[in-house]
DNA sequence: GCAAAAGTGTTGGAAATACACCCATGT
DNA sequence: ACATGGGTGTATTTCCAACACTTTTGC
């Protein structure tokens, strides 16, 4: 207890006592962070998984997670775990949801905070392969260990929503990409087909793609033009949403 | 440690050991839940606050929160806290975000999971008034204790977004309401003005309002018709969103 | 020349916006 | 009668969906 935190002598002092002794003693709970890392490769959305350590979940796949240290910021723990497990450090993690059912972890009470990101599989080489760490096509993800199936599905749904409202997808593509690449990405994430002409029209009308005046190389068909995303212009837009619709 | 959770003898057994001893011993952290309760009254959006107990935050307002017990589901803790602090039990809480900076709480390391709901101020009488619990106009909320200002702002932003995608707002209104009531609600939450005729058109075209064939009483002007929301029909709609836009 | 995908416009319908007048009630 | 807000319709514009042919390249 920090010395300056004296109890106030009010009728509510008891609850404060309770909080402070709880912080120090009996009421603590193990806290973990789990990372759901999405990637895009061969026109498929993928997720990074490792083999579970626990006998109970022998052979099952699981997300990348570890306990949060008592003197570690929550987000810092997520970045540490990602770095330890994969070697990746130059990615932005976003918090998604916290899962806290009493029996979700067989080792005891562990509440887990989930973080999510999207990375370019080609640009971020995974260099730690313990526990068979590798990319799985999201269509084949099932029966994960713990409650990780639920966590994964929650993150995927959130990704599907956010990718339509923010230019997240560009993190999954090479720096230079064709409109076909971009459309493949959206189709893979949203699991739908889109009209090619309308898709182009939409993106061109946003006016956030920079035409690089370069062409695809070594494709067995007419090469497409290459673009990059205009992040500066996007930042300035600062668009805000109004539109009741449900 | 549950008996069936034997360590696998692999190169990764160490990390499992670490997790299990962490769960049992040193790596535990105090976990709290905070509730951000929004209400609507006198055509203003309000939030429930109490006076902070801590001397450090003397005179500051704070959210409703308490520690999560080791054998208590996360959501259960949030409902318990709400019930203890306000007497309310018939509301749906939704998780918003988890805040875990190391120094966010002066009593030590406390990670907090935030829950949010919207209630009808008239229908849910608050019957526990400890710590000066009462409704505050959201426009006047500032300098809350701890990091509660940030938490509050995060919840408000999320509310502004979600209220446009889901019929949350009806929880804030009387069972029978006029279109003016509904518009006032949206204007208060989103902090914008809307065109009255277009607002009506939008809601009528959704076809989710039931005309009760009743009129407002005791208003000093032409009385408006009263409606209720057709929740059954809404549930069946199961609308899904497609529309890239940023 | 053939296969494969790039590139390109138009049209019709739906939804959003902007806008002004008459009506019902209480005072 | 007047003040207050309820109720309504139309014209304009914008956005979205549907849809087919020509072009460029590799093989």
């Amino acid at each position: 207890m920090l010395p300056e935190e004296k109890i106030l002598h009010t009728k509510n002092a008891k609850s404060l006592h309770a909080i402070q002794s709880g912080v120090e003693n009996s009421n603590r709970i193990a806290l973990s962070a789990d990372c759901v890392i999405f990637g895009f490769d061969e026109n498929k959305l993928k997720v990074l998984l490792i083999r579970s350590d626990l006998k109970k979940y022998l052979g099952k796949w699981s997300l990348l997670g570890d306990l949060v240290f008592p003197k570690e910021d929550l987000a810092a723990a997520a970045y540490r775990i990602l770095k330890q497990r994969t070697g990746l450090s130059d990615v932005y993690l976003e918090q998604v949801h916290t899962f806290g059912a009493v029996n979700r972890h067989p080792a005891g009470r562990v509440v887990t905070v989930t973080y999510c990101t999207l990375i370019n599989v080609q640009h971020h080489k995974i260099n730690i392969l313990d526990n068979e760490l590798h990319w799985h096509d999201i269509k084949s993800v099932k029966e994960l260990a713990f409650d990780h199936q639920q966590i994964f599905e929650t993150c995927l749904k959130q990704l599907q929503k956010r990718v339509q409202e923010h230019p997240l997808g560009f993190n999954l593509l090479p720096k230079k990409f064709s409109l076909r690449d971009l459309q493949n990405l959206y189709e893979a994430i949203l699991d739908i087909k889109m009209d090619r002409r309308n898709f182009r029209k939409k993106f061109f009308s946003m006016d956030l793609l920079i035409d690089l005046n370069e062409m695809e190389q070594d494709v067995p068909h007419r090469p497409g033009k290459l673009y990059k995303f205009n992040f500066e212009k996007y930042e300035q837009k600062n668009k805000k949403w109004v539109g009741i619709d449900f």
Side-chain angles (χ1 to χ4, degrees), chain A:
Chain A
M1 178 159 148
L2 304 177
E4 66 273 25
E5 295 308 320
K6 304 270 167 49
I7 306 298
L8 289 177
H9 293 287
T10 73
K11 61 180 171 174
N12 296 294
K14 199 178 60 151
S15 78
L16 177 58
H17 266 303
I19 287 180
Q20 298 214 331
S21 77
V23 170
E24 291 158 15
N25 304 309
S26 59
N27 269 343
R28 295 192 296 191
I29 291 175
L31 192 62
S32 68
D34 281 299
C35 299
V36 182
I37 313 302
F38 290 102
F40 186 64
D41 196 24
E42 299 167 330
N43 286 337
K44 295 199 167 83
L45 189 61
K46 314 250 172 159
V47 64
L48 268 182
L49 300 176
I50 57 175
R51 289 277 188 198
S52 172
D53 285 321
L54 293 192
K55 184 171 182 183
K56 173 166 181 181
Y57 293 117
L58 186 64
K60 303 268 189 193
W61 296 97
S62 79
L63 299 170
L64 286 52
D66 193 9
L67 294 180
V68 178
F69 299 142
K71 296 199 173 169
E72 183 179 42
D73 284 346
L74 208 44
Y79 284 105
R80 169 178 57 80
I81 290 160
L82 183 63
K83 173 85 177 177
Q84 283 179 348
R85 284 292 192 178
T86 68
L88 296 172
S89 56
D90 192 22
V91 298
Y92 172 73
L93 289 168
E94 176 164 318
Q95 191 191 111
V96 177
H97 194 83
T98 299
F99 294 84
V102 170
N103 294 315
R104 60 170 294 281
H105 197 296
R109 181 76 196 278
V110 184
V111 171
T112 196
V113 184
T114 306
Y115 285 81
C116 176
T117 196
L118 308 172
I119 65 173
N120 180 323
V121 171
Q122 304 305 328
H123 285 193
H124 294 87
K125 273 295 167 208
I126 308 301
N127 47 32
I128 298 171
L129 298 173
D130 291 353
N131 294 69
E132 301 176 53
L133 175 75
H134 71 265
W135 294 104
H136 295 243
D137 187 328
I138 58 157
K139 297 270 191 186
S140 69
V141 171
K142 46 181 184 286
E143 297 177 23
L144 297 181
F146 312 98
D147 53 356
H148 287 186
Q149 187 72 27
Q150 185 194 358
I151 293 176
F152 164 71
E153 288 165 10
T154 300
C155 287
L156 178 57
K157 279 202 197 92
Q158 154 134 342
L159 168 61
Q160 290 177 329
K161 190 166 177 213
R162 285 187 55 81
V163 79
Q164 296 187 58
E165 299 171 357
H166 304 279
L168 306 178
F170 301 96
N171 292 324
L172 295 166
L173 292 174
K175 279 172 198 135
K176 304 173 177 186
F177 53 84
S178 67
L179 272 170
R180 165 58 56 187
D181 295 331
L182 189 58
Q183 185 172 345
N184 286 340
L185 173 65
Y186 276 93
E187 290 185 342
I189 294 178
L190 300 177
D191 197 24
I192 56 173
K193 292 286 171 203
M194 303 183 196
D195 180 272
R196 193 164 49 92
R197 283 165 292 186
N198 293 337
F199 184 86
R200 288 168 163 266
K201 228 178 305 177
K202 177 111 139 220
F203 271 91
F204 287 139
S205 74
M206 285 186 209
D207 205 25
L208 289 170
L209 297 179
I210 298 173
D211 185 341
L212 294 170
N213 292 308
E214 292 178 62
M215 293 295 192
E216 289 178 296
Q217 301 293 327
D218 302 316
V219 286
H221 55 75
R222 174 172 174 179
K225 297 180 94 171
L226 295 176
Y227 299 88
K228 66 174 182 176
F229 185 73
N230 192 340
F231 281 100
E232 295 77 13
K233 184 163 180 182
Y234 169 73
E235 296 298 341
Q236 290 161 13
K237 273 200 169 183
N238 200 7
K239 159 159 193 159
K240 75 167 151 178
W241 255 126
V242 182
I244 299 162
D245 199 3
F246 46 80

